[in-house]
Amino acid sequence: MTEFTTRPEILGTFGVVTSTHWIASAVGMAILEKGGNAFDAAVATGFVLQIVEPHLCGPGGDMPAVFYSKKNDKVEVICAQGPAPAGATIEHYTSEGLTLIPGDGLLATVIPGAFDGWMLMLRDYGTMSIREVLEPAIYYAENGHPVLARVSATIKGLAGFFEKEWPTSYATWLPGGAAPEPQANFRNPVLAETWKRIIAEAEAKTGRENQIEAARDAFYRGFVAEAIDKYVSTTAVMDASGARHKGVLNADDMANWSATIEAPQTYDYHDWTVAKTPAWGQGPVLLQSLALLKGFDLSTMDPTGPDFVHVVVEAMKLAYADREVYYGDPEFAQIPTEYLLSEGYNAERRKLITKEASLELRPGRVPGYDNQFDLTMAMLAQVSGKGAVYEPTMSHLTEKRGDTVHIDVIDRWGNMVSTTPSGGWLQSSPIVPGLGFALNSRAQMFWLKPGLPTSLAPGKRPRTTLTPSLALHQGRPTLVFGTPGGDQQDQWQLPFFLRYVHYKKNLQAAIDMPLFHTTHFPGSFYPRTSEPGNIMVESNIGAEVLDELRRRGHQVTVADPWSVGRLTAARRDADGLMRAAATPRLMQAYAVGR
């Protein structure tokens, strides 16, 4: 008898698209139907998600992608994570009276990276024109889309704040003075006009690549950058610090930056190779967790039993502790990733995983990094404490903070894309006048203490939580997967991947299984606090499992069933058969394919 799943695992040979919103997935599939490839589809899907999930991503945000190009026959990474502006110095921020960078407002803004990343993907790997990939987003911005209940609740919760402090956001999100009700048809005509003007400037040029370059110029060196510069330089806005601040981003910052293509960080786990972003993102924590778990016989454990949950959580605690000390922009610091993934290091670290839950933050000591270790631990001791606030995606956390979206696409030629766009949420920053979108708040990832890989510095990329995944099976690009969720992204991807690899579940069955994560380590988002020993587990894992986890010393927070994680995944078999799946949680994500 076939195992019950909440939805079918989608099967086909033509193409599959899965994302965190059904409209976006349908748009991506329509692009494939028109002859576009996986890259064209990912770009169009990404722009539509900015419209239909505006509380989770926006044009002023950021975007990492891990992908496989059939033409180039290699796995690569697009880094569209904008760095800190030239004026973003520790001295300036502390002179503003700050000890932590607030989670919203203009001082939290880095250079918007997403648009350039999408254009880079379209130019170098796609086949379509800028008009073809932007038209679906323009349609939904101009003609409207059904508002998610979560978007409505977010706007309603911020209505008073917007009216008093962020009037441009009030005008955009509460047209006529009222927040949109769930499923109401909502429009953003100003954003539609921004995209139309970019297309017009692009089409003044001839040739697809020239048009894409003209679009990049319009955004980073033209009218978009000018509007951002004018607004940021003249406006002080209220933020989470309780005071009003001007930002430091300007047109020169935007003009002198562009997205880049990089090699991925990889790790071999049994007959799989997992590819992630380098340590400017948190992706290597999943690889470190696999390196620790390689020493356990997971296949003998119940995939929803206490042994599995305990061992996976304890491994993640160790990997995330190392993230706090060692990760950052590799262009500004030496990151010992190879050492952190080495078997010698992990054999010693593995001994720390016992039958009892650890309540300590235990990063490993890497030779030559003692000063960095001591400095980080001393700082964390000052800022960490109860009351964690994470970038949420679940109903049991506050509606007022932003999150993320995710897209996986595979086409009939074998191109594969995994991307996790984020930032520029409607609640992150005020709407820039005349553009119809907000800036990001990614600078909150930085510390205002010098000497760390994650210390604020001009030109440095924040150590983002965005972490798409691509896995090769016996050397063949096979699987793309990911989820929104801030610090939880790799924590939800890890049990999904382990269950898929060790227990031969289909994609949908692996996604449907009860999820869990820990808030043990310092959060990446303002106010950067932690809950030692805490794990959150969906209640449908069973009372016996929850009781056993408590007996082992875990501080268990029980979540409602079907409330944790927003995973999507897609696979291509060696014979060309494609598979795709999407979480039923929050009832938004959808997989499409044929």
Side-chain angles (χ1 to χ4, degrees):
M1 181 177 166
T2 304
E3 181 178 9
F4 173 81
T5 54
T6 57
R7 299 166 176 185
E9 181 184 55
I10 300 297
L11 302 175
T13 56
F14 177 81
V16 289
V17 181
T18 180
S19 83
T20 47
H21 196 290
W22 67 91
I23 287 177
S25 297
V27 164
M29 193 67 203
I31 293 291
L32 295 183
E33 298 282 5
K34 289 175 182 172
N37 66 16
F39 304 105
D40 299 314
V43 174
T45 303
F47 278 109
V48 168
L49 284 171
Q50 295 172 3
I51 307 297
V52 298
E53 294 197 282
H55 60 318
L56 306 181
C57 70
D62 27 50
M63 182 277 278
V66 185
F67 60 94
Y68 170 74
S69 161
K70 183 70 174 175
K71 185 174 80 172
N72 294 352
D73 192 26
K74 63 179 175 178
V75 177
E76 295 172 290
V77 167
I78 286 179
C79 176
Q81 175 54 66
T89 64
I90 291 175
E91 294 74 23
H92 176 71
Y93 281 57
T94 54
S95 75
E96 294 277 318
L98 298 171
T99 55
L100 287 174
I101 298 176
D104 59 9
L106 296 178
L107 269 181
T109 292
V110 298
I111 297 168
F115 187 82
D116 206 61
W118 290 126
M119 292 300 101
L120 178 60
M121 180 182 285
L122 183 67
R123 186 195 71 186
D124 290 1
Y125 301 92
T127 65
M128 287 186 157
S129 69
I130 179 80
R131 176 179 289 278
E132 288 173 301
V133 296
L134 269 177
E135 275 186 333
I138 292 170
Y139 173 88
Y140 287 110
E142 199 165 43
N143 296 296
H145 67 278
V147 172
L148 294 168
R150 207 158 288 268
V151 174
S152 175
T154 301
I155 295 170
K156 286 178 180 178
L158 289 164
F161 177 78
F162 281 174
E163 186 172 22
K164 182 183 178 187
E165 300 292 351
W166 295 2
T168 54
S169 293
Y170 188 81
T172 298
W173 302 114
L174 293 95
E181 294 298 323
Q183 299 180 9
N185 198 43
F186 185 81
R187 298 174 177 84
N188 188 343
V190 178
L191 179 56
E193 290 305 313
T194 296
W195 293 145
K196 285 181 179 179
R197 182 171 172 185
I198 285 177
I199 289 173
E201 294 196 13
E203 290 181 345
K205 304 285 185 181
T206 55
R208 193 184 79 92
E209 290 191 11
N210 289 336
Q211 289 183 356
I212 293 169
E213 286 306 301
R216 295 172 91 177
D217 285 342
F219 196 99
Y220 288 90
R221 286 161 287 278
F223 78 96
V224 174
E226 289 166 9
I228 290 170
D229 186 306
K230 181 180 178 183
Y231 181 64
V232 174
S233 66
T234 60
T235 314
V237 307
M238 180 63 73
D239 57 43
S241 71
R244 293 180 181 85
H245 296 106
K246 287 183 182 178
V248 293
L249 177 68
N250 63 36
D252 285 343
D253 294 314
M254 294 184 63
N256 294 313
W257 177 82
S258 58
T260 52
I261 296 168
E262 304 182 4
Q265 184 68 52
T266 62
Y267 184 75
D268 295 334
Y269 181 79
H270 296 279
D271 53 356
W272 290 82
T273 301
V274 182
K276 302 288 283 184
T277 70
W280 50 260
Q282 76 175 5
V285 294
L286 188 139
L287 308 183
Q288 281 195 252
S289 299
L290 292 174
L292 289 161
L293 293 167
K294 194 185 266 189
F296 295 88
D297 189 1
L298 296 179
S299 61
T300 64
M301 299 178 188
D302 177 349
T304 58
D307 290 342
F308 178 86
V309 176
H310 173 79
V311 168
V312 171
V313 165
E314 293 303 298
M316 292 192 301
K317 287 179 184 177
L318 294 172
Y320 274 84
D322 282 348
R323 180 192 77 167
E324 294 309 300
V325 175
Y326 300 110
Y327 290 21
D329 187 343
E331 292 184 12
F332 281 75
Q334 286 288 112
I335 315 297
T337 314
E338 298 306 321
Y339 187 89
L340 295 173
L341 293 174
S342 67
E343 178 51 32
Y345 177 75
N346 284 285
E348 288 303 308
R349 297 281 279 162
R350 213 172 281 135
K351 295 173 185 175
L352 297 174
I353 300 176
T354 66
K355 295 188 183 301
E356 294 295 314
S358 169
L359 301 182
E360 299 174 68
L361 189 70
R362 299 182 293 178
R365 282 196 176 268
V366 175
Y369 289 78
D370 286 332
N371 185 54
Q372 185 171 305
F373 181 102
D374 294 339
L375 197 62
T376 303
M377 295 304 284
M379 180 193 64
L380 292 178
Q382 293 176 331
V383 301
S384 295
K386 280 283 184 185
V389 180
Y390 288 82
E391 184 193 39
T393 177
M394 300 98 71
S395 56
H396 42 70
L397 296 175
T398 171
E399 295 277 6
K400 295 184 181 178
R401 295 181 184 274
D403 190 24
T404 305
V405 299
H406 185 78
I407 304 163
D408 297 304
V409 188
I410 306 177
D411 66 26
R412 63 189 186 272
W413 300 286
N415 298 303
M416 308 175 73
V417 181
S418 176
T419 178
T420 312
S422 186
W425 318 307
L426 70 85
Q427 61 277 47
S428 66
S429 186
I431 291 285
V432 179
L435 297 182
F437 66 82
L439 296 169
N440 62 79
S441 54
R442 193 61 63 181
Q444 67 184 293
M445 311 278 108
F446 288 115
W447 294 108
L448 295 177
K449 187 173 184 67
L452 305 174
T454 47
S455 302
L456 179 66
K460 184 187 280 190
R461 290 172 285 186
R463 199 271 304 139
T464 177
T465 53
L466 307 174
T467 176
S469 298
L470 187 151
L472 303 91
H473 185 243
Q474 297 177 349
R476 183 182 60 81
T478 301
L479 184 68
V480 280
F481 58 100
T483 176
D487 291 301
Q488 289 92 34
Q489 287 180 30
D490 283 309
Q491 297 195 65
W492 296 331
Q493 292 182 62
L494 179 63
F496 158 76
F497 181 71
L498 294 170
R499 287 162 169 171
Y500 188 69
V501 166
H502 288 291
Y503 307 104
K504 310 305 178 192
K505 300 284 182 185
N506 75 34
L507 291 177
Q508 192 65 50
I511 285 173
D512 283 352
M513 295 174 85
L515 277 170
F516 55 88
H517 63 265
T518 178
T519 51
H520 173 81
F521 48 84
S524 298
F525 294 82
Y526 179 89
R528 311 298 294 265
T529 46
S530 60
E531 296 177 311
N534 183 269
I535 59 171
M536 179 173 280
V537 191
E538 288 182 313
S539 63
N540 46 322
I541 205 165
E544 288 185 10
V545 175
L546 296 170
D547 287 344
E548 175 59 21
L549 291 169
R550 290 187 186 99
R551 195 189 66 74
R552 296 186 189 192
H554 296 281
Q555 310 295 312
V556 179
T557 299
V558 181
D560 290 338
W562 309 107
S563 67
V564 172
R566 296 180 67 205
L567 286 155
T568 68
R571 172 182 173 132
R572 187 175 191 271
D573 294 347
D575 63 359
L577 180 68
M578 287 175 243
R579 308 164 187 267
T583 185
R585 295 163 176 91
L586 302 189
M587 297 185 289
Q588 288 171 213
Y590 231 84
V592 186
R594 71 167 176 85

